[in-house]
């Protein structure tokens, strides 16, 4: 896996951000186990709540194209270090509990984390199959 190339794709995707309200641009690049990359940017709405984060755009693009197995996601934003929000962490967890999350500051500065570290004691699909209710 070429982490630097993935970081670059996230930085490229950030340029597509539609964020006229927050003016906070985010980009993501998701690497599938099959080696494909799906990118995403945040897309805001005048009614605010329909706003979707860059990470979830990338995941939705991948899943809607039949890809459900993910290796890594690179994320970059206008913050110093922009980490994925809680909602995005949960959506990542659905498909890849141990996803490699690369938080990108620049083409050469990035941090590597495992999703299990960013979302410990998480809730996922297995919890529902183990349900004991009637
Ligand atoms: N945002 C993302 O795209 N990803 C995150 O993980 C954090 C937040 C976006 C949503 C909104 O458009 C802007 O950043 C400010 O919250």
């Amino acid at each position: 896996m070429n982490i630097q190339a993935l970081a670059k794709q996230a930085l490229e995707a950030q340029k597509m951000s539609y964020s006229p309200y927050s003016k906070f641009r985010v980009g993501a690049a998701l690497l599938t186990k099959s080696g494909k990359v799906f990118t995403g940017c945040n897309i805001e709405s005048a009614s605010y709540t329909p706003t979707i984060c860059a990470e979830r755009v990338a995941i939705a693009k991948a899943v809607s194209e039949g890809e459900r197995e993910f290796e890594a996601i690179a994320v970059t934003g206008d913050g110093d270090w922009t980490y994925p929000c809680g909602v995005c962490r949960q959506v990542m967890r659905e498909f890849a509990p141990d996803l490699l999350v690369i938080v990108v500051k620049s083409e050469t500065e990035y941090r590597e984390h495992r999703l299990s570290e960013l979302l410990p004691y998480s809730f996922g699909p297995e919890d529902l199959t183990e349900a004991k209710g009637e």
Side-chain angles (χ1 to χ4, degrees):
M1 186 202 320
N2 187 336
I3 292 183
Q4 205 164 337
L6 201 64
K8 211 169 165 181
Q9 281 169 288
L11 286 159
E12 204 50 44
Q14 186 189 20
K15 295 181 186 162
M16 303 306 290
S17 169
Y18 176 73
S19 43
Y21 309 106
S22 72
K23 300 192 179 356
F24 190 88
R25 299 164 306 145
V26 184
L30 177 69
L31 176 68
T32 68
K33 288 207 167 152
S34 62
K36 290 185 203 154
V37 174
F38 291 85
T39 59
C41 64
N42 56 331
I43 304 172
E44 299 187 340
S45 164
S47 70
Y48 295 178
T49 48
T51 291
I52 180 163
C53 294
E55 300 92 317
R56 281 179 289 134
V57 168
I59 293 168
K61 282 170 71 177
V63 173
S64 66
E65 302 273 327
E67 297 284 341
R68 293 181 187 169
E69 292 193 68
F70 308 132
E71 193 83 41
I73 189 165
V75 183
T76 195
D78 280 333
D80 190 16
W81 292 96
T82 301
Y83 277 76
C85 79
V87 173
C88 289
R89 292 179 196 200
Q90 185 64 39
V91 173
M92 290 172 194
R93 195 265 175 250
E94 180 73 22
F95 299 100
D98 210 27
L99 188 68
L100 177 64
V101 179
I102 304 153
V103 181
V104 179
K105 188 170 173 176
S106 71
E107 239 179 79
T108 52
E109 290 172 288
Y110 45 79
R111 294 177 182 164
E112 293 175 49
H113 295 279
R114 285 285 166 186
L115 181 60
S116 51
E117 174 198 343
L118 301 180
L119 191 70
Y121 302 104
S122 65
F123 184 87
E126 317 75 49
D127 294 292
L128 288 178
T129 56
E130 286 163 10
K132 293 179 181 70
E134 313 239 325

mmCIF file of all heavy atoms in Angstrom, residues 17-19 22 24-27 41-44 51-55 75 82-86 88, ligand 1:
data_model
loop_
_atom_site.group_PDB
_atom_site.id
_atom_site.type_symbol
_atom_site.label_atom_id
_atom_site.label_comp_id
_atom_site.label_asym_id
_atom_site.label_seq_id
_atom_site.Cartn_x
_atom_site.Cartn_y
_atom_site.Cartn_z
ATOM 1 N N SER A 17 -14.495 19.899 -2.335
ATOM 2 C CA SER A 17 -15.412 20.178 -1.225
ATOM 3 C C SER A 17 -16.444 21.249 -1.553
ATOM 4 O O SER A 17 -16.111 22.312 -2.086
ATOM 5 C CB SER A 17 -14.588 20.634 -0.012
ATOM 6 O OG SER A 17 -15.440 21.146 0.993
ATOM 7 N N TYR A 18 -17.694 20.943 -1.215
ATOM 8 C CA TYR A 18 -18.766 21.944 -1.334
ATOM 9 C C TYR A 18 -19.136 22.328 0.099
ATOM 10 O O TYR A 18 -19.880 21.617 0.779
ATOM 11 C CB TYR A 18 -19.978 21.365 -2.083
ATOM 12 C CG TYR A 18 -21.124 22.345 -2.136
ATOM 13 C CD1 TYR A 18 -21.068 23.469 -2.964
ATOM 14 C CD2 TYR A 18 -22.253 22.174 -1.331
ATOM 15 C CE1 TYR A 18 -22.102 24.398 -2.994
ATOM 16 C CE2 TYR A 18 -23.294 23.095 -1.359
ATOM 17 C CZ TYR A 18 -23.210 24.202 -2.194
ATOM 18 O OH TYR A 18 -24.222 25.124 -2.213
ATOM 19 N N SER A 19 -18.527 23.381 0.586
ATOM 20 C CA SER A 19 -18.706 23.753 1.999
ATOM 21 C C SER A 19 -18.856 25.267 2.167
ATOM 22 O O SER A 19 -18.062 25.901 2.861
ATOM 23 C CB SER A 19 -17.512 23.232 2.810
ATOM 24 O OG SER A 19 -16.284 23.465 2.122
ATOM 25 N N SER A 22 -19.732 26.173 6.328
ATOM 26 C CA SER A 22 -18.660 26.072 7.326
ATOM 27 C C SER A 22 -17.333 26.598 6.775
ATOM 28 O O SER A 22 -16.454 26.981 7.538
ATOM 29 C CB SER A 22 -18.459 24.617 7.746
ATOM 30 O OG SER A 22 -17.846 23.870 6.705
ATOM 31 N N PHE A 24 -15.159 24.810 5.745
ATOM 32 C CA PHE A 24 -14.186 23.827 6.249
ATOM 33 C C PHE A 24 -14.151 22.688 5.232
ATOM 34 O O PHE A 24 -15.093 21.903 5.124
ATOM 35 C CB PHE A 24 -14.629 23.339 7.633
ATOM 36 C CG PHE A 24 -13.603 22.522 8.362
ATOM 37 C CD1 PHE A 24 -12.646 23.124 9.174
ATOM 38 C CD2 PHE A 24 -13.593 21.131 8.236
ATOM 39 C CE1 PHE A 24 -11.699 22.360 9.846
ATOM 40 C CE2 PHE A 24 -12.655 20.361 8.907
ATOM 41 C CZ PHE A 24 -11.704 20.982 9.710
ATOM 42 N N ARG A 25 -13.080 22.621 4.473
ATOM 43 C CA ARG A 25 -12.989 21.646 3.386
ATOM 44 C C ARG A 25 -12.351 20.345 3.863
ATOM 45 O O ARG A 25 -11.311 20.373 4.530
ATOM 46 C CB ARG A 25 -12.171 22.229 2.227
ATOM 47 C CG ARG A 25 -12.792 23.498 1.622
ATOM 48 C CD ARG A 25 -11.778 24.240 0.775
ATOM 49 N NE ARG A 25 -10.566 24.489 1.564
ATOM 50 C CZ ARG A 25 -9.323 24.472 1.057
ATOM 51 N NH1 ARG A 25 -9.125 24.246 -0.210
ATOM 52 N NH2 ARG A 25 -8.281 24.701 1.842
ATOM 53 N N VAL A 26 -13.003 19.247 3.515
ATOM 54 C CA VAL A 26 -12.490 17.931 3.910
ATOM 55 C C VAL A 26 -12.424 17.034 2.669
ATOM 56 O O VAL A 26 -13.284 17.104 1.793
ATOM 57 C CB VAL A 26 -13.395 17.282 4.995
ATOM 58 C CG1 VAL A 26 -12.797 15.956 5.484
ATOM 59 C CG2 VAL A 26 -13.604 18.222 6.176
ATOM 60 N N GLY A 27 -11.384 16.213 2.629
ATOM 61 C CA GLY A 27 -11.238 15.249 1.536
ATOM 62 C C GLY A 27 -10.894 13.889 2.095
ATOM 63 O O GLY A 27 -10.274 13.783 3.165
ATOM 64 N N CYS A 41 -15.585 14.121 -0.791
ATOM 65 C CA CYS A 41 -15.403 15.437 -0.166
ATOM 66 C C CYS A 41 -16.679 15.722 0.621
ATOM 67 O O CYS A 41 -17.709 15.077 0.388
ATOM 68 C CB CYS A 41 -15.174 16.521 -1.223
ATOM 69 S SG CYS A 41 -16.595 16.755 -2.308
ATOM 70 N N ASN A 42 -16.607 16.655 1.552
ATOM 71 C CA ASN A 42 -17.833 16.995 2.272
ATOM 72 C C ASN A 42 -18.759 17.814 1.369
ATOM 73 O O ASN A 42 -18.313 18.610 0.537
ATOM 74 C CB ASN A 42 -17.539 17.710 3.599
ATOM 75 C CG ASN A 42 -16.692 18.953 3.461
ATOM 76 O OD1 ASN A 42 -15.872 19.073 2.560
ATOM 77 N ND2 ASN A 42 -16.869 19.894 4.375
ATOM 78 N N ILE A 43 -20.047 17.566 1.535
ATOM 79 C CA ILE A 43 -21.069 18.245 0.727
ATOM 80 C C ILE A 43 -22.100 18.813 1.692
ATOM 81 O O ILE A 43 -22.793 18.045 2.382
ATOM 82 C CB ILE A 43 -21.740 17.254 -0.257
ATOM 83 C CG1 ILE A 43 -20.678 16.584 -1.138
ATOM 84 C CG2 ILE A 43 -22.786 17.985 -1.113
ATOM 85 C CD1 ILE A 43 -21.218 15.445 -2.016
ATOM 86 N N GLU A 44 -22.166 20.126 1.762
ATOM 87 C CA GLU A 44 -23.075 20.769 2.713
ATOM 88 C C GLU A 44 -24.407 21.137 2.061
ATOM 89 O O GLU A 44 -24.565 21.045 0.838
ATOM 90 C CB GLU A 44 -22.386 21.999 3.314
ATOM 91 C CG GLU A 44 -21.121 21.597 4.060
ATOM 92 C CD GLU A 44 -20.452 22.718 4.832
ATOM 93 O OE1 GLU A 44 -20.709 23.908 4.537
ATOM 94 O OE2 GLU A 44 -19.650 22.392 5.721
ATOM 95 N N THR A 51 -26.019 17.704 5.409
ATOM 96 C CA THR A 51 -24.570 17.706 5.149
ATOM 97 C C THR A 51 -23.984 16.313 5.317
ATOM 98 O O THR A 51 -24.302 15.605 6.271
ATOM 99 C CB THR A 51 -23.878 18.680 6.134
ATOM 100 O OG1 THR A 51 -24.259 20.005 5.787
ATOM 101 C CG2 THR A 51 -22.350 18.553 6.076
ATOM 102 N N ILE A 52 -23.130 15.937 4.374
ATOM 103 C CA ILE A 52 -22.470 14.632 4.497
ATOM 104 C C ILE A 52 -20.958 14.825 4.480
ATOM 105 O O ILE A 52 -20.429 15.644 3.726
ATOM 106 C CB ILE A 52 -22.965 13.619 3.428
ATOM 107 C CG1 ILE A 52 -22.257 12.273 3.592
ATOM 108 C CG2 ILE A 52 -22.838 14.156 2.011
ATOM 109 C CD1 ILE A 52 -22.945 11.121 2.882
ATOM 110 N N CYS A 53 -20.297 14.085 5.348
ATOM 111 C CA CYS A 53 -18.847 14.190 5.478
ATOM 112 C C CYS A 53 -18.136 13.499 4.315
ATOM 113 O O CYS A 53 -18.673 12.568 3.691
ATOM 114 C CB CYS A 53 -18.387 13.515 6.764
ATOM 115 S SG CYS A 53 -18.945 14.310 8.264
ATOM 116 N N ALA A 54 -16.903 13.920 4.094
ATOM 117 C CA ALA A 54 -16.070 13.373 3.016
ATOM 118 C C ALA A 54 -15.904 11.852 3.124
ATOM 119 O O ALA A 54 -15.993 11.134 2.125
ATOM 120 C CB ALA A 54 -14.699 14.037 3.073
ATOM 121 N N GLU A 55 -15.674 11.379 4.333
ATOM 122 C CA GLU A 55 -15.435 9.948 4.544
ATOM 123 C C GLU A 55 -16.649 9.120 4.137
ATOM 124 O O GLU A 55 -16.541 8.080 3.499
ATOM 125 C CB GLU A 55 -15.134 9.655 6.023
ATOM 126 C CG GLU A 55 -13.917 10.368 6.583
ATOM 127 C CD GLU A 55 -14.259 11.713 7.214
ATOM 128 O OE1 GLU A 55 -15.048 12.476 6.634
ATOM 129 O OE2 GLU A 55 -13.703 11.995 8.293
ATOM 130 N N VAL A 75 -7.678 10.861 5.333
ATOM 131 C CA VAL A 75 -8.591 11.975 5.568
ATOM 132 C C VAL A 75 -7.795 13.253 5.770
ATOM 133 O O VAL A 75 -6.783 13.261 6.480
ATOM 134 C CB VAL A 75 -9.448 11.731 6.848
ATOM 135 C CG1 VAL A 75 -10.444 12.850 7.069
ATOM 136 C CG2 VAL A 75 -10.155 10.389 6.782
ATOM 137 N N THR A 82 -7.152 16.928 11.069
ATOM 138 C CA THR A 82 -8.602 16.702 11.033
ATOM 139 C C THR A 82 -8.894 15.209 11.163
ATOM 140 O O THR A 82 -8.626 14.425 10.255
ATOM 141 C CB THR A 82 -9.206 17.247 9.723
ATOM 142 O OG1 THR A 82 -8.923 18.647 9.639
ATOM 143 C CG2 THR A 82 -10.716 17.035 9.679
ATOM 144 N N TYR A 83 -9.439 14.849 12.320
ATOM 145 C CA TYR A 83 -9.795 13.452 12.570
ATOM 146 C C TYR A 83 -11.243 13.192 12.161
ATOM 147 O O TYR A 83 -12.078 14.100 12.247
ATOM 148 C CB TYR A 83 -9.618 13.137 14.071
ATOM 149 C CG TYR A 83 -8.192 12.807 14.424
ATOM 150 C CD1 TYR A 83 -7.234 13.807 14.522
ATOM 151 C CD2 TYR A 83 -7.804 11.496 14.620
ATOM 152 C CE1 TYR A 83 -5.906 13.495 14.819
ATOM 153 C CE2 TYR A 83 -6.485 11.175 14.925
ATOM 154 C CZ TYR A 83 -5.542 12.173 15.015
ATOM 155 O OH TYR A 83 -4.237 11.857 15.296
ATOM 156 N N PRO A 84 -11.572 11.974 11.771
ATOM 157 C CA PRO A 84 -12.954 11.653 11.385
ATOM 158 C C PRO A 84 -13.924 11.849 12.543
ATOM 159 O O PRO A 84 -13.595 11.535 13.697
ATOM 160 C CB PRO A 84 -12.888 10.168 11.006
ATOM 161 C CG PRO A 84 -11.454 9.869 10.773
ATOM 162 C CD PRO A 84 -10.669 10.838 11.604
ATOM 163 N N CYS A 85 -15.094 12.363 12.254
ATOM 164 C CA CYS A 85 -16.117 12.581 13.286
ATOM 165 C C CYS A 85 -16.653 11.230 13.763
ATOM 166 O O CYS A 85 -16.406 10.187 13.147
ATOM 167 C CB CYS A 85 -17.242 13.464 12.757
ATOM 168 S SG CYS A 85 -18.433 12.596 11.714
ATOM 169 N N GLY A 86 -17.397 11.265 14.834
ATOM 170 C CA GLY A 86 -17.934 10.032 15.429
ATOM 171 C C GLY A 86 -18.865 9.271 14.499
ATOM 172 O O GLY A 86 -18.839 8.034 14.465
ATOM 173 N N CYS A 88 -18.791 9.203 11.212
ATOM 174 C CA CYS A 88 -17.978 8.541 10.183
ATOM 175 C C CYS A 88 -17.236 7.339 10.756
ATOM 176 O O CYS A 88 -17.120 6.307 10.095
ATOM 177 C CB CYS A 88 -16.999 9.534 9.566
ATOM 178 S SG CYS A 88 -17.841 10.744 8.530
HETATM 179 N N1 LIG B 1 -16.588 17.029 8.126
HETATM 180 C C1 LIG B 1 -16.161 15.989 7.345
HETATM 181 O O1 LIG B 1 -16.314 16.004 6.119
HETATM 182 N N2 LIG B 1 -15.592 14.925 7.955
HETATM 183 C C2 LIG B 1 -15.369 14.824 9.296
HETATM 184 O O2 LIG B 1 -15.007 13.761 9.771
HETATM 185 C C3 LIG B 1 -15.538 16.024 10.132
HETATM 186 C C4 LIG B 1 -16.469 17.047 9.571
HETATM 187 C C5 LIG B 1 -17.235 18.172 7.477
HETATM 188 C C6 LIG B 1 -18.707 18.304 7.725
HETATM 189 C C7 LIG B 1 -18.929 19.779 7.497
HETATM 190 O O3 LIG B 1 -19.133 20.002 6.119
HETATM 191 C C8 LIG B 1 -17.618 20.425 7.888
HETATM 192 O O4 LIG B 1 -16.664 19.388 7.934
HETATM 193 C C9 LIG B 1 -17.651 21.134 9.233
HETATM 194 O O5 LIG B 1 -18.143 20.309 10.215
#
